[in-house]
Amino acid sequence: MNISRILIEQAAARPDEPAIVESAGRSTNAITFGGLAERSARAAALLRASGLDKGDQVLVFQPMSIELYVALLAVFRLGLVATVLDPSAGRRHIEQCCDIARPKAFLGPARAHLLRLLCRGLRRIQTHFVTAGRAPGATRWSRIERLKPLNSITACDASHAALLTFTSGSTGIPKAAVRSHGFLLAQHAVLAESIDLEPGEVDLATLPIFVLANLASGVTSVIPQCDLRRPGCVEPGPVLEQLERHGVTRTVGSPALYERLLQGAWAAARAGGENGEVRLGPIEKLYTGGAPVFPRLLQELRVAIPQGRVTVVYGSTEAEPIADLDWDEIESADLDAMHAGSGLLVGRPVPQIDLRIVHNRWGKPLPAMNAREFAEIALPPERSGEIVVSGPHVLAGYLNGVGDEETKFRVEGKAWHRTGDAGYLDTAGRLWLLGRAGAVIRDERGTIHPFAAECAANQLPWVERSALAGRNGKRLLAVQLGPRAPADAARRVQETLSWARLDRVVRLPRLPVDRRHNAKVDYPALAQELKRHGN
């Protein structure tokens, strides 16, 4: 059950069709499914000749590119484990991850190898490969051109590790998420159905894990010409040009990225005169998630792809996807509810997942329990609590059990994952998000959840971002306003959210957001920002 087998099958079925397209300036590089299979087989020969054996970990510092997937396929072919982490997270994070994973090989371009001068953990790695440029003591990746393809695929059972990634470790030591070959196959099956992957489509690929699903489904992946580490800051022009040039028909990405593309499309429309249309190329299917996606953005995206559909995908690192929602299914009553403080609608759970709402005990471990005990803590529709999930594409645990006590528990031996999100199911079985389970504010006025207030505030056209915070017993709503905000914006926000009984609306020049998606509010950083502004 080696994940590379399903990828190689696509190469056999459509050898001459483009698998991955990337741009660098005005030039475009592409590789076919057949070419990817052959090049990854040559890369596997190089890894094998370097003495790597089944189960060894390879630290991959390659940015999203054709060579990243050549390397990953080679790693999977040999039953090695691809270890991926974010080098921008800092030296301490890299050191911690190396201590946990103990990789035997390091792979990346010359600039990534410069980190070996700074990080003791990287210097301990025995074998090095440089994919572009030169690095002392590193084998040049270009050697694969002269090697005979290693076409065999190492047999792996479903539990054999394939991919190791890490959480940010912002609250302590990073947790290592291990995806087995069986897990990746199960995740591909649910993604192919949930985001409707069809052979021959062309996808603007912004998230590395989704490219694997594309390759396994016969979908061409176009890698955006931008820095995907900061989706909220991309230059939209080159990406919009790629949409047209490559005939992109679908895309999955962060709401922050699509906000930037919409800004670029608006600028292009204004330049085209009164009849200029706001359009995101030939896209027919757009999926967005990884952070809260509020109704105003969904409506703007729907207008920009009038011939297609816009879908919200809710999930997490440990469970992707959990639920999805087609914008066209939202009714006016749903919008009214979101604007009135009912939370953020994200649709029905995908069929392959078990989902329950349980009493919110976030911060306290949940013990193993039997079915009767589980039923006692599960809540009926319209009752809010923690969202917990289980299924074949839900991560059952972390490496060496580090972090399991916080986010895992078992029912009759079956592993369940605590998402850390609060929400509820309505009577139609749809999931509504209320924000982080640990961010609920309880005071003498009652209970209020972050997304309830933020979804309501974000309906105002000049509110770019908002965040609810409890400070010294007071309910504060921080807002980042657009250039057209009225002078009495704070008063208008407070009136719109009169039901929330806010103590103050605080205007901040910019609300802090997460590094990965640039769209989720960083609440600990927000607390520091509010303190700095005297709140």
Side-chain angles (χ1 to χ4, degrees):
M1 189 181 277
N2 191 311
I3 182 64
S4 64
R5 189 171 298 280
I6 190 173
L7 301 172
I8 303 308
E9 288 172 358
Q10 288 297 334
R14 42 185 53 81
D16 299 322
E17 294 182 17
I20 303 175
V21 179
E22 63 182 13
S23 298
R26 295 181 178 274
S27 64
T28 296
N29 300 320
I31 191 167
T32 63
F33 282 94
L36 183 62
E38 181 184 7
R39 189 167 178 81
S40 65
R42 293 181 188 275
L46 179 63
L47 298 178
R48 173 65 57 79
S50 301
L52 295 172
D53 294 321
K54 181 179 178 180
D56 288 344
Q57 299 202 29
V58 180
L59 180 57
V60 180
F61 261 17
Q62 183 69 20
M64 202 166 164
S65 60
I66 289 173
E67 288 309 317
L68 170 62
Y69 295 95
V70 169
L72 289 179
L73 284 179
V75 166
F76 296 156
R77 276 179 180 268
L78 296 176
L80 306 175
V81 183
T83 302
V84 180
L85 54 88
D86 180 6
S88 67
R91 187 171 66 181
R92 181 171 179 270
H93 179 79
I94 295 172
E95 295 283 12
Q96 289 176 319
C97 294
C98 286
D99 286 342
I100 294 169
R102 298 285 178 174
K104 288 192 175 181
F106 175 77
L107 183 151
R111 64 179 180 276
H113 285 264
L114 292 174
L115 291 170
R116 289 160 51 193
L117 300 174
L118 304 174
C119 295
R120 173 181 52 85
L122 295 181
R123 290 196 296 273
R124 285 202 308 260
I125 298 174
Q126 303 168 359
T127 306
H128 305 91
F129 303 92
V130 60
T131 56
R134 298 190 180 193
T139 300
R140 297 184 71 177
W141 194 245
S142 58
R143 281 187 56 195
I144 65 178
E145 311 287 356
R146 303 190 298 272
L147 296 178
K148 182 180 178 180
L150 181 65
N151 291 314
S152 61
I153 298 176
T154 301
C156 298
D157 61 33
S159 63
H160 186 77
L163 182 64
L164 183 68
T165 60
F166 291 87
T167 62
S168 65
S170 58
T171 58
I173 297 175
K175 297 189 288 287
V178 184
R179 295 172 176 84
S180 67
H181 285 263
F183 180 96
L184 289 177
L185 287 166
Q187 186 174 56
H188 164 251
V190 66
L191 281 174
E193 180 179 338
S194 178
I195 62 174
D196 196 19
L197 293 172
E198 298 181 30
E201 291 185 304
V202 181
D203 179 60
L204 183 76
T206 69
L207 302 171
I209 196 69
F210 283 85
V211 176
L212 291 178
N214 287 346
L215 293 174
S217 301
V219 173
T220 299
S221 299
V222 175
I223 297 175
Q225 191 175 351
C226 63
D227 185 355
L228 289 171
R229 293 171 300 177
R230 302 183 66 197
C233 300
V234 305
E235 175 59 42
V239 182
L240 291 172
E241 193 273 333
Q242 283 181 295
L243 298 181
E244 296 286 357
R245 176 159 37 112
H246 300 299
V248 171
T249 58
R250 57 174 300 124
T251 180
V252 182
S254 162
L257 172 66
Y258 296 134
E259 286 177 351
R260 291 292 297 157
L261 294 187
L262 282 172
Q263 290 170 12
W266 274 108
R270 285 194 294 269
E274 293 183 4
N275 297 323
E277 293 182 338
V278 177
R279 191 166 177 268
L280 294 182
I283 289 176
E284 298 173 357
K285 302 174 185 176
L286 186 149
Y287 300 85
T288 183
V293 189
F294 295 105
R296 188 173 70 211
L297 174 61
L298 294 172
Q299 178 59 43
E300 291 174 355
L301 289 170
R302 188 67 182 84
V303 170
I305 55 169
Q307 76 284 8
R309 72 174 191 261
V310 175
T311 303
V312 176
V313 180
Y314 165 61
S316 68
T317 298
E318 298 84 355
E320 182 75 65
I322 293 174
D324 53 46
L325 173 70
D326 189 322
W327 168 255
D328 289 342
E329 296 176 0
I330 294 180
E331 300 178 353
S332 58
D334 298 324
L335 287 174
D336 291 343
M338 285 190 273
H339 292 161
S342 292
L344 188 61
L345 178 62
V346 291
R348 287 181 172 79
V350 298
Q352 297 87 346
I353 209 164
D354 287 332
L355 183 147
R356 300 287 189 280
I357 307 297
V358 301
H359 289 289
N360 189 347
R361 300 177 184 175
W362 185 251
K364 298 179 181 178
L366 288 179
M369 60 189 80
N370 58 38
R372 178 185 57 79
E373 292 168 328
F374 188 39
E376 288 176 355
I377 68 168
L379 297 171
E382 304 292 346
R383 290 279 303 279
S384 65
E386 274 188 60
I387 302 169
V388 299
V389 293
S390 182
H393 69 287
V394 177
L395 198 69
Y398 301 104
L399 184 67
N400 302 325
V402 177
D404 285 359
E405 184 180 36
E406 176 187 356
T407 63
K408 310 294 179 186
F409 66 101
R410 290 185 174 271
V411 178
E412 304 280 0
K414 180 180 178 181
W416 284 76
H417 172 67
R418 304 171 72 179
T419 64
D421 289 331
Y424 63 94
L425 291 167
D426 63 20
T427 54
R430 302 177 305 173
L431 181 63
W432 295 69
L433 298 184
L434 294 170
R436 297 299 288 170
V440 180
I441 296 175
R442 296 184 177 90
D443 54 27
E444 70 280 357
R445 285 165 280 188
T447 299
I448 185 170
H449 295 83
F451 284 4
E454 293 164 17
C455 197
N458 289 357
Q459 69 177 295
L460 298 170
W462 30 265
V463 173
E464 294 185 344
R465 183 170 279 120
S466 64
L468 181 70
R471 294 279 298 166
N472 302 318
K474 296 187 180 298
R475 296 180 177 185
L476 305 181
L477 186 75
V479 292
Q480 176 182 320
L481 302 179
R484 298 184 179 181
D488 61 345
R491 179 186 63 79
R492 292 196 190 187
V493 171
Q494 196 141 3
E495 285 181 356
T496 301
L497 274 72
S498 59
W499 53 268
R501 302 174 70 184
L502 301 172
D503 289 292
R504 190 177 308 121
V505 173
V506 181
R507 296 180 59 168
L508 294 179
R510 185 166 295 277
L511 268 61
V513 293
D514 68 298
R515 288 190 179 189
R516 182 184 179 194
H517 294 290
N518 299 168
K520 292 189 286 189
V521 173
D522 183 338
Y523 289 96
L526 174 64
Q528 294 300 315
E529 191 73 4
L530 288 170
K531 182 179 180 181
R532 193 168 69 85
H533 283 79
N535 294 286

